[in-house]
Amino acid sequence: MTAVEVARELEISERTARRDLDALGMAGVPVYSVQGRGGGWRLVGGARTDLSGLTASEARALFLVAGPASAATPAVRAALRKLVHALPEPFRVQAEAAASSLVMDPRRWGASRVEPRPPRFLDALQDAVIRGVQVRLGYVDREGTETERTVHPLGIVAKGSSWYLVANTDAGRRTFRIDRVSSADPTCDPVHRPEDFDLAESWRTIADEVDRKRTPLEARAVCTPEGIGVLRIGFGSRLEVGGATTDGRIEVVIRGNDEYTLAGELAGLVEWIEVTGPPGVRDHLASIGDTLAERYGRDRQHRRTP
């Protein structure tokens, strides 16, 4: 700002404004003057400005994780383009450099390049969470049954490519897939939000419960030490590692959906693991082994025959 603009804003004389700005500089406030066209008084380094309230490091961090080259939404990128013009000039170069220094690609290797569209009612539900108002929610469950209820939105979670609404209902806390929401009508009634509610902690509890329901079967096995890394990559949170056995192998528990599916997942790991139970999984593994030996052993014998 120029001294004239400071004087006008504070309703003082330009002379007083210059004197006070000089006094601030002498007192240790990091302000400096720039002469010539486009000059004026500015804050330097990590000082805060009334305009953005950001320090230099905060500005860099913001543009680093949500810059134009990241996976941020178009609305976020548009907001950042406006924000960069509001930053003090010493911040701009580093903020813009941060924006182009990182690319975030959320897709796994081999995944489709088609990016899913945000659910229809995502913005409306997010607005209700922010404003803290209840919502009359239409919802279609996995069986195709449509219901309507009033919910207290507490937060929204992105899990992979899916979006979920965490909300309190008359039946307790529930989670709704937002792509199954058929209508969302905000009310004027305030949300009853528990004082100790923490969205991240609540979602961890929900996710753990869902994982347990999706994989209720537990298979017990022993694994060679060099195979533990393979199991961690293949099963992630479905793997529980126990203690060592007398022969140096390690006890593990692997969760799955059903005996047949889990046996199929374990069949290719016989180099490292031996399944000890339940019997149904062992039976399926034996059946898979018999089928493989019959199908491919015959081909191998045929190739060896002169």
Side-chain angles (χ1 to χ4, degrees):
M1 298 179 67
T2 66
V4 173
E5 291 171 329
V6 173
R8 185 184 305 117
E9 178 73 19
L10 300 179
E11 298 181 351
I12 58 177
S13 69
E14 182 180 346
R15 181 178 179 181
T16 300
R18 292 182 183 279
R19 183 190 64 209
D20 290 347
L21 287 165
D22 285 330
L24 286 172
M26 293 177 64
V29 176
V31 295
Y32 71 104
S33 63
V34 176
Q35 302 298 321
R37 185 177 181 181
W41 287 84
R42 304 184 182 190
L43 286 164
V44 298
R48 294 183 177 273
T49 72
D50 291 335
L51 182 61
S52 66
L54 294 174
T55 66
S57 59
E58 289 169 342
R60 287 195 303 269
L62 177 62
F63 280 81
L64 182 66
V65 300
S70 76
T73 64
V76 170
R77 292 196 292 268
L80 288 172
R81 283 195 296 270
K82 296 177 181 178
L83 177 59
V84 74
H85 295 296
L87 290 173
E89 189 171 340
F91 296 3
R92 293 181 193 172
V93 175
Q94 292 187 19
E96 291 173 338
S100 60
S101 67
L102 175 69
V103 171
M104 297 176 64
D105 184 354
R107 294 189 302 269
R108 298 177 61 183
W109 292 112
S112 171
R113 292 184 176 274
V114 178
E115 296 185 7
R117 295 180 178 178
R120 176 183 174 189
F121 294 101
L122 176 60
D123 288 344
L125 292 171
Q126 187 174 35
D127 180 69
V129 171
I130 294 171
R131 293 194 295 120
V133 296
Q134 299 177 36
V135 174
R136 286 190 295 273
L137 192 75
Y139 192 72
V140 181
D141 64 19
R142 66 181 61 186
E143 282 77 32
T145 303
E146 185 170 3
T147 57
E148 184 174 296
R149 73 202 81 187
T150 298
V151 302
H152 297 248
L154 300 175
I156 292 175
V157 176
K159 174 72 170 176
S161 61
S162 299
W163 293 84
Y164 295 87
L165 171 69
V166 179
N168 277 344
T169 71
D170 291 340
R173 189 164 300 167
R174 295 291 184 269
T175 305
F176 302 91
R177 274 188 57 151
I178 297 180
D179 59 358
R180 291 181 183 162
V181 172
S182 57
S183 63
D185 300 312
T187 71
C188 296
D189 299 322
V191 165
H192 299 154
R193 186 183 183 92
E195 292 184 2
D196 60 347
F197 176 75
D198 181 273
L199 179 60
E201 181 62 32
S202 179
W203 179 253
R204 280 192 290 269
T205 302
I206 293 168
D208 288 345
E209 182 180 353
V210 171
D211 276 343
R212 290 286 179 181
K213 289 181 178 179
R214 286 166 57 100
T215 55
L217 178 68
E218 292 187 347
R220 300 176 301 280
V222 287
C223 178
T224 62
E226 58 270 21
I228 291 296
V230 178
L231 295 186
R232 290 190 191 279
I233 294 173
F235 296 99
S237 62
R238 291 194 287 148
L239 171 70
E240 296 179 13
V241 180
T245 62
T246 55
D247 61 1
R249 293 184 294 178
I250 301 171
E251 296 178 334
V252 296
V253 174
I254 303 168
R255 298 199 316 274
N257 183 265
D258 57 76
E259 291 182 344
Y260 179 78
T261 303
L262 187 55
E265 292 181 285
L266 297 172
L269 303 173
V270 294
E271 180 180 350
W272 299 286
I273 69 169
E274 177 186 351
V275 175
T276 58
V281 175
R282 290 173 56 89
D283 291 342
H284 283 302
L285 283 168
S287 177
I288 292 171
D290 290 341
T291 301
L292 290 171
E294 180 182 357
R295 180 168 302 173
Y296 298 104
R298 183 173 59 245
D299 291 345
R300 183 171 60 180
Q301 183 63 34
H302 176 74
R303 289 194 302 271
R304 289 178 176 177
T305 302

